[in-house]
Amino acid sequence: MENLNLKNKTILILGGSGLIGRQIVDSLSKLCKLVIVLDINDLKFRNKKVKFYNYDLSDKNFEKKFQIITYKYKKIDCYINCAYPISENWNKCDYQNINREDLSINLDLQLERLVLTTNIISKQMRKNKTKGSIVLMNSIYGILGYDMNIYKNTDMRENIAYSVIKGGITNYIRAMASILSKNGIRINSVCAGGVEGHIAGKTKNQSRQFIKNYSEKVPIGRLAKPKEISGPVIFLCSDLSSYITGSNLIVDGGWSSI
């Protein structure tokens, strides 16, 4: 589609080897000039348009290393953050079990480091006078509360840290849109609903009971597939979304409509 206008663009993806990130990289590698992937997992992307850098967001020198990599490129047209760094006790961050240490660690990993890396790339865009786009992964739990019924008869629980983090991203988007718009830089997030795949911090996928509970809540009647989240991300990178900034785009199969 010509209006995407991505063929001459360089796109940087933090967390490009994850569930949704992989799908985004695969799609963008067919549409744009270069995709730069930063992640701890090298999936051996077999595409000459994909450049991989080993990068650990939990490293104490994460800012310096991020700058070293990104400053190699004079012009980055779009920045996408799909990273999902979590603590060892991530699955104990529910209301009943969360403690100060685990909350602090995850706020640092998922919110503070997101803010700091986004600030670095946006300042680089401003310095290079790049009229670019920034897209951050978000969640419906950044704008909505939990429906506790989806956890009935499962071993899954709500995650208070997750909601606090995603809520912070929601308002960070709004604040940054006000700051960056005068430089021609757009910033948005995608608030995803439930996505098919493994549970963060675990090797297993969602249970049949959870999928049943969740699907009964969604008008479309199922969880999203990764490619159904990557599509809106690519849209927000493209010129088709040239009048959209400060938006937290909801992609949830109708969950938030009822």
Side-chain angles (χ1 to χ4, degrees), residues 134-221:
I134 296 171
V135 185
L136 309 180
M137 283 306 305
N138 202 345
S139 166
I140 54 172
Y141 290 138
I143 56 174
L144 299 172
Y146 290 99
D147 182 341
M148 301 303 292
N149 291 319
I150 66 174
Y151 304 111
K152 284 184 177 180
N153 301 317
T154 76
D155 62 355
M156 295 179 66
R157 299 182 294 272
E158 93 296 331
N159 188 310
I160 291 300
Y162 185 79
S163 293
V164 172
I165 290 161
K166 296 305 182 183
I169 293 173
T170 296
N171 218 45
Y172 175 65
I173 290 290
R174 295 169 179 150
M176 287 293 280
S178 301
I179 295 168
L180 299 176
S181 292
K182 64 182 180 181
N183 300 104
I185 302 169
R186 298 183 297 108
I187 181 167
N188 299 284
S189 82
V190 171
C191 294
V195 182
E196 290 180 2
H198 68 272
I199 303 168
K202 298 182 180 180
T203 56
K204 64 180 181 179
N205 289 0
Q206 301 103 335
S207 68
R208 290 184 180 181
Q209 185 62 52
F210 175 80
I211 292 173
K212 180 178 183 294
N213 293 347
Y214 192 96
S215 298
E216 288 175 352
K217 163 78 176 179
V218 185
I220 285 184

Side-chain angles (χ1 to χ4, degrees), residues 56-234:
D56 187 352
L57 193 56
S58 67
D59 190 291
K60 66 179 181 180
N61 295 315
F62 75 97
E63 288 179 277
K64 182 178 180 180
K65 291 182 178 180
F66 188 80
Q67 287 178 322
I68 289 172
I69 294 171
T70 58
Y71 283 19
K72 290 181 179 181
Y73 300 89
K74 183 176 181 180
K75 185 179 181 185
I76 294 174
D77 299 284
C78 182
Y79 172 60
I80 303 168
N81 188 329
C82 296
Y84 196 178
I86 57 177
S87 72
E88 184 179 348
N89 291 326
W90 176 242
N91 290 298
K92 294 181 180 179
C93 288
D94 58 288
Y95 168 72
Q96 291 290 351
N97 296 299
I98 194 168
N99 59 47
R100 182 177 181 181
E101 181 180 3
D102 289 330
L103 177 60
S104 178
I105 291 171
N106 286 290
L107 282 171
D108 177 26
L109 286 173
Q110 294 188 47
L111 183 57
E112 292 177 23
R113 296 181 186 227
L114 174 144
V115 169
L116 293 170
T117 50
T118 304
N119 281 4
I120 289 170
I121 201 71
S122 63
K123 288 176 182 177
Q124 184 177 346
M125 286 179 171
R126 292 173 74 176
K127 180 181 179 180
N128 295 332
K129 297 183 179 180
T130 301
K131 294 183 178 181
S133 175
I134 296 171
V135 185
L136 309 180
M137 283 306 305
N138 202 345
S139 166
I140 54 172
Y141 290 138
I143 56 174
L144 299 172
Y146 290 99
D147 182 341
M148 301 303 292
N149 291 319
I150 66 174
Y151 304 111
K152 284 184 177 180
N153 301 317
T154 76
D155 62 355
M156 295 179 66
R157 299 182 294 272
E158 93 296 331
N159 188 310
I160 291 300
Y162 185 79
S163 293
V164 172
I165 290 161
K166 296 305 182 183
I169 293 173
T170 296
N171 218 45
Y172 175 65
I173 290 290
R174 295 169 179 150
M176 287 293 280
S178 301
I179 295 168
L180 299 176
S181 292
K182 64 182 180 181
N183 300 104
I185 302 169
R186 298 183 297 108
I187 181 167
N188 299 284
S189 82
V190 171
C191 294
V195 182
E196 290 180 2
H198 68 272
I199 303 168
K202 298 182 180 180
T203 56
K204 64 180 181 179
N205 289 0
Q206 301 103 335
S207 68
R208 290 184 180 181
Q209 185 62 52
F210 175 80
I211 292 173
K212 180 178 183 294
N213 293 347
Y214 192 96
S215 298
E216 288 175 352
K217 163 78 176 179
V218 185
I220 285 184
R222 59 177 175 80
L223 279 74
K225 301 181 187 304
K227 67 180 180 180
E228 293 175 309
I229 306 301
S230 68
V233 172
I234 294 169

